[in-house]
Amino acid sequence: MMNLPNLIFALVMGLLMSLSITLAITLVRVGLKENFLWVWLEVWMVAYPVAIICILLYRPFATKITLKILKSLELKQD
């Protein structure tokens, strides 16, 4: 369900993750060239909205899987 805390989380997490991932990938693919910053920003402008949408879509599913894994680990420890 979409609510304000989930939206804010998606915006912040999407920003941090997309900046980090596009920085690393652009650095590997382009290197520290003269136009590095512009290439990185161009790639990031595509990645950021995609990251937000993915976080909003996948978060409920990821939460369910996490809970199942934790429950399974709890049973194996007994």
Side-chain angles (χ1 to χ4, degrees):
M1 171 175 249
M2 176 82 83
N3 57 34
L4 188 57
N6 284 345
L7 180 60
I8 292 171
F9 176 84
L11 292 171
V12 172
M13 184 60 77
L15 174 74
L16 297 172
M17 292 301 296
S18 63
L19 279 173
S20 303
I21 293 168
T22 57
L23 171 69
I25 292 171
T26 306
L27 188 58
V28 168
R29 299 292 291 162
V30 176
L32 286 175
K33 301 213 174 182
E34 192 174 303
N35 65 341
F36 170 79
L37 187 60
W38 294 114
V39 172
W40 178 31
L41 289 174
E42 184 178 331
V43 173
W44 175 77
M45 287 191 311
V46 173
Y48 184 46
V50 171
I52 293 168
I53 292 167
C54 289
I55 291 167
L56 290 170
L57 290 175
Y58 300 150
R59 186 174 182 179
F61 180 64
T63 300
K64 288 178 185 176
I65 291 173
T66 301
L67 291 173
K68 285 183 180 184
I69 292 170
L70 290 173
K71 187 175 181 179
S72 173
L73 291 173
E74 192 176 281
L75 292 174
K76 291 180 182 179
Q77 289 179 355
D78 293 336

